[in-house]
Amino acid sequence: MSTHDTPHRNETRIMADPDLPTILITREFDAPPERVFRAYTDPDLVVQWLGPRRLTMQIDQYDARSGGSYRYVHRDDDGTEYGFHGVFHEVRPNERIVQTFTYEAFPDAVSLETAVFEDLGGRTRVTGKSLMDSMEARDAMLKSGMEHGVREGYERLDELLGGGQGDSTGRRTETES
């Protein structure tokens, strides 16, 4: 099932397999894999694009290397916090990132995420696959609004890769606080 049906050049496609607890996200960017990969692994860049525009972001830890880990918090205007953490299992420069992902409000639901960076000759296709514990966990993730956050985040990544600063208002890494 697709959650978005209007195709265009850099469309974010979000698909759920009807038979497996997976979500497949595909998006192309107008930048080479080296730049897109760096935006995924450098916390000073991650803070500028990851997540919806309406939330602020604070990165407490972001060690994007094989065996490293991360933790960050998105915060609403009313102070509500959404914490996330995980471990990087494999970080292969410009090619692939394999990591766990946990939303701290549901600490027993850990997903395994793989992002593959494909060189399209100066452009990059990122294919992300999330494997959840169950179909119910997958469906809850889809109903949570993650689709909106993913799309806005990728729009912000487009802005960042286009040479802009992105919208980093209210976003900071721990060392800047």
Side-chain angles (χ1 to χ4, degrees), residues 1-176:
M1 107 178 100
S2 173
T3 57
H4 187 66
D5 295 326
T6 307
H8 57 83
R9 183 180 167 102
N10 288 343
E11 176 189 6
T12 301
R13 299 191 61 80
I14 301 174
M15 309 282 288
D17 188 308
D19 301 319
L20 298 171
T22 60
I23 298 173
L24 188 66
I25 302 171
T26 306
R27 178 68 147 76
E28 293 181 10
F29 296 94
D30 296 327
E34 300 80 25
R35 290 187 60 218
V36 178
F37 183 84
R38 183 170 175 239
Y40 268 76
T41 56
D42 181 334
D44 291 332
L45 298 177
V46 171
V47 75
Q48 294 182 51
W49 69 268
L50 185 62
R53 294 181 192 277
R54 68 179 176 79
L55 302 178
T56 60
M57 181 178 186
Q58 177 179 332
I59 294 177
D60 296 328
Q61 175 183 350
Y62 207 88
D63 184 11
R65 61 179 174 83
S66 298
S69 61
Y70 68 91
R71 181 179 189 278
Y72 60 85
V73 176
H74 281 135
R75 188 170 294 113
D76 246 326
D77 288 342
D78 67 3
T80 303
E81 294 186 344
Y82 310 93
F84 304 89
H85 68 268
V87 174
F88 293 101
H89 288 261
E90 180 184 21
V91 177
R92 190 182 316 158
N94 309 324
E95 293 181 21
R96 174 180 156 106
I97 298 172
V98 180
Q99 66 187 59
T100 59
F101 176 85
T102 301
Y103 173 38
E104 294 174 352
F106 298 100
D108 292 340
V110 179
S111 62
L112 180 64
E113 300 188 334
T114 302
V116 175
F117 302 78
E118 182 181 352
D119 188 350
L120 302 176
R123 302 183 74 237
T124 304
R125 178 180 299 127
V126 178
T127 303
K129 184 175 190 177
S130 298
L131 173 63
M132 278 84 187
D133 296 344
S134 65
M135 299 297 270
E136 293 78 19
R138 188 229 22 222
D139 292 345
M141 175 77 81
L142 289 170
K143 290 178 182 171
S144 73
M146 61 78 67
E147 175 186 350
H148 178 73
V150 168
R151 290 184 199 288
E152 274 196 4
Y154 280 165
E155 289 170 8
R156 299 174 74 202
L157 180 53
D158 265 339
E159 295 164 10
L160 181 66
L161 294 169
Q165 285 292 312
D167 180 10
S168 61
T169 303
R171 296 186 169 231
R172 62 185 184 275
T173 58
E174 184 174 64
T175 56
E176 295 174 339

